[in-house]
Amino acid sequence: MTARKHIVVIGAGFGGLAVAKGLGRRGVDVTLIDRQNHHLFQPLLYQVATAGLSPADIAAPIRAIVRHLPNIRVMLDRVVGIDRQAKQVWLQSGDIVEYDMLVVATGARHSYFGHDDWAALAPGLKTIDDATALRRKVLLSLERAEVASDPDQRKALLTYIVVGGGPTGVEMAGAIAELARCGVRRDFRSITPHCSRVILIEAGPRLLQSFPDALSASAKAALEQLGVEVQLATQVEAIHRTGVKTSQSFIQASTIVWAAGVQASDAARWLQVTPDRAGRVPVGPDLRLRDDPAIFVIGDTACCPDETGRPLPGVAPVAKQQGAYVARTILAGLTPSGSVTPKPFVYRNFGNLATIGRHRAVADFGRFRLSGHLAWFVWCVVHIWFLTGHRNRIMVGANWLWSYLTFARSARLITGDPGGETMSPQPKSESPPWQVVSTLRKST
Amino acid sequence: MTARKHIVVIGAGFGGLAVAKGLGRRGVDVTLIDRQNHHLFQPLLYQVATAGLSPADIAAPIRAIVRHLPNIRVMLDRVVGIDRQAKQVWLQSGDIVEYDMLVVATGARHSYFGHDDWAALAPGLKTIDDATALRRKVLLSLERAEVASDPDQRKALLTYIVVGGGPTGVEMAGAIAELARCGVRRDFRSITPHCSRVILIEAGPRLLQSFPDALSASAKAALEQLGVEVQLATQVEAIHRTGVKTSQSFIQASTIVWAAGVQASDAARWLQVTPDRAGRVPVGPDLRLRDDPAIFVIGDTACCPDETGRPLPGVAPVAKQQGAYVARTILAGLTPSGSVTPKPFVYRNFGNLATIGRHRAVADFGRFRLSGHLAWFVWCVVHIWFLTGHRNRIMVGANWLWSYLTFARSARLITGDPGGETMSPQPKSESPPWQVVSTLRKST
């Protein structure tokens, strides 16, 4: 009898978790490594950023998810390298983990197309900390605008630019428009909904390019109804601390959100393979490295062509189906007939969804397409269904019902103030309203 | 006719909010200044620190709380000084706010009895950020212990010391014991509940000194049943990065929590009055400064003697009753008979409560006293009742019910990692278990 195989899975996103679950309670040992202690339901991250949900509502501890699978061991650590000859994964803590089979599912991060200096000025949304930082920025901009006396400064504070018209950008723009308008209407005394401006910039000719034309048009109309200005066929040329320079104009804005492009994680460097243009690792039809059958790469990290030869999109269903496929392939390899070449991976696309604001969405299920309220209802049901953990399903459902009935945003907290940053002194040009009578530091 | 009076309230804790609500929709203008955008329900902060609740469950945006009171204006800012001659409050942003009457309700912070260097090693719990930082520390200690190979290092990682045996310390110790034991039992593979040690250190002869003797004894017994070691009559002599030196011994520990003493905020300095030993501002029987009838000081910031001459305790009910009293006094002062000296403030003590772990508590209602399950049930009802906002009441209730039924801690997130700190390299003395085979940096 041979020893039990040790499968190492790097990354506990949708793909990595699907592998681990598929191998749970089977005759293998699994080590699941992630740099976070929680699995994150990224499709709802924009709702944390716009104060609709709490971080804990869309994240579940990885240990709790695989608690009932005794052959899975969870390690909180960062990968710093992979030694393919020795079959070892090197970790930041100094530990080295040996593997028989390795699954790399480390996802993607934002790509600024060579302008890495934009990252600090126009952050993207990938982690809980990204989301709470953006929430802080948006809420502080409203607080600062409430006391700002210079009309130009106030206008810049209340201008929000979202770069990128894919599902994330569309959802972000809709949610910011609602937060900056509904919140303002009731809670602030000196700013009104009409003061704030939300601009969605897309380089291509239409929004949601993975959807059919008609749904792109519905999404644009729904956003405009919420007060979002949609600028199509507009390139971002530069991003400054004060705003965005596009191919059309310069727009002053204090809050800029990046939703324009992603780039795979460092996996290609660890594996010493040549990535594609988006940093993804090319894989064979069975999702293995072509020259190393012990290594699978899946999800946003992999470049896996579909039947037409185009790379599969970086969405959760692809990663989940690939994870399940890899688990089946590994288990099949353990049986006596294991040397048979497995069938290639085929992605089954069940549909695409994107939501716009409080009760609209677009849904593309191939044969039938939806937009408006019914699509939004489908969107809610699907997202609650796929959330990890019963507790999170209940909490998100309750939160949404509460927001729907009351228009309230329940997680409107400014946190993470590194001491003293709350309201930094601002140059003022004229006396602010009401009892505020003068300024300490007049610029002369 | 005289102009409308402008009342400035500094601090939107229990005291400041009670003043603002008492003055809502009355013939005065109110400006409520706080350095946070949210009112925090501090009595439940320890549950955020121990991953039982989310920050948004116990915090509510100040603007939302006073939304329906149009004469109240909210400012997010920090106070840097008060000019009593000119009747002005100076803010960090550079703004100056003039007042007719001023209410100072800025609360308290931790006191390290002259050892301010202990603050970084043994943080206390006053803000949401304190709570998420402690949550991060406790959860990371478990993760690190899971992979630690040196038995001494592992023991230190799994030792938690709480300094101070008042209600906060007792609640903290109970909650940490449950987190480190229940969580461990099911989610970790190589550490077990018996590995972890929770120690509560109290300088006095008994826990909960504001409660009757019998309830102190019940609390001690309940804590010991949860596995907490209670060390009474023990002074902390020094705190180091590696542990705590007490009058009895040196205890190695990676997590140390301070719940031993508080000190009033900087109000005495702003007001240029001589504070008492705990930094509190002495006030007259009507809660005004003795030499300045335009300024009230309430809550933890004030030193207000009870009938026996002892200062009132720094608890929420005192602050709330004082806030309501000040609002009534201000409104009475606006009437033609307003020059009559108001009745002195009298605190009505309805009882004291403290909870210990999952379903025990002690309650002291003067004539009758409770401990055990019934007291715990009373504790739950009282705390949900006093929470701010219906939404938070529902969410906290649902979370508690869920935890009670499933033993789960729903907010077990490690967040706020400032990049790369997840698992820093640790010196290892022997090879860790399972597939981890060697270390990168062997200390020779």
Side-chain angles (χ1 to χ4, degrees), chain A residues 19 103 286-287 296 298 321-331:
Chain A
V19 178
V103 185
D286 57 354
L287 307 178
F296 295 86
I298 61 174
Q321 292 179 29
Q322 289 183 334
Y325 170 88
V326 166
R328 284 196 308 272
T329 305
I330 290 173
L331 293 175

Side-chain angles (χ1 to χ4, degrees), chain A residues 391-405:
Chain A
R391 185 251 165 207
N392 285 355
R393 283 186 202 121
I394 295 169
M395 287 295 162
V396 170
N399 253 310
W400 284 351
L401 188 65
W402 184 261
S403 311
Y404 185 77
L405 298 175

Side-chain angles (χ1 to χ4, degrees), chain A residues 6 29-31 35-38 54-57 59-61 63-64 66-67 69-78 80 88 90-98 128-129 139-140 143 146-147 186-189 390-391 394-395 398-399 402 409-417 419-426 428 432-441, chain B residues 6 29-31 35-38 54-57 59-61 63-64 66-67 69-78 80 88 90-98 128-129 139-140 143 146-147 186-189 390-391 394-395 398-399 402 409-417 419-426 428 432-441:
Chain A
H6 184 216
D29 288 328
V30 180
T31 297
R35 60 184 179 175
Q36 304 278 10
N37 80 325
H38 50 269
S54 275
D57 296 336
R63 292 189 185 283
V66 299
R67 171 189 295 160
L69 305 172
N71 64 326
I72 300 181
R73 179 162 184 264
V74 177
M75 285 180 85
L76 176 75
D77 216 326
R78 278 170 194 262
V80 292
Q88 291 177 336
W90 292 29
L91 302 175
Q92 194 181 39
S93 63
D95 284 337
I96 293 178
V97 183
E98 293 198 329
I128 291 278
D129 290 322
L139 295 175
L140 267 181
E143 294 288 342
E146 170 83 351
V147 292
R186 302 191 299 168
D187 287 2
F188 290 83
R189 304 291 183 235
H390 295 298
R391 185 251 165 207
I394 295 169
M395 287 295 162
N399 253 310
W402 184 261
R409 297 249 154 200
S410 49
R412 243 171 57 203
L413 301 188
I414 298 177
T415 57
D417 183 1
E421 205 214 309
T422 314
M423 295 292 280
S424 53
Q426 299 150 8
K428 303 251 161 98
W434 211 8
Q435 303 282 348
V436 178
V437 291
S438 69
T439 63
L440 277 182
R441 282 159 235 214
Chain B
H6 183 217
D29 289 327
V30 179
T31 297
R35 60 184 179 176
Q36 305 279 9
N37 80 325
H38 50 267
S54 276
D57 296 336
R63 292 190 185 283
V66 299
R67 171 189 294 160
L69 305 171
N71 63 326
I72 300 181
R73 179 164 183 262
V74 177
M75 286 180 86
L76 175 75
D77 217 327
R78 278 169 195 263
V80 293
Q88 291 176 337
W90 292 27
L91 302 176
Q92 194 181 42
S93 64
D95 284 338
I96 293 179
V97 183
E98 292 199 328
I128 290 277
D129 290 323
L139 295 175
L140 266 182
E143 294 289 342
E146 170 82 350
V147 292
R186 303 190 299 169
D187 287 3
F188 290 83
R189 304 289 184 236
H390 296 297
R391 184 255 168 205
I394 295 169
M395 287 296 162
N399 253 311
W402 183 262
R409 297 249 154 199
S410 49
R412 244 172 55 202
L413 300 187
I414 299 178
T415 58
D417 183 1
E421 204 215 308
T422 313
M423 293 292 280
S424 53
Q426 300 151 7
K428 303 252 160 102
W434 213 7
Q435 303 283 346
V436 178
V437 292
S438 69
T439 63
L440 278 181
R441 282 160 235 212

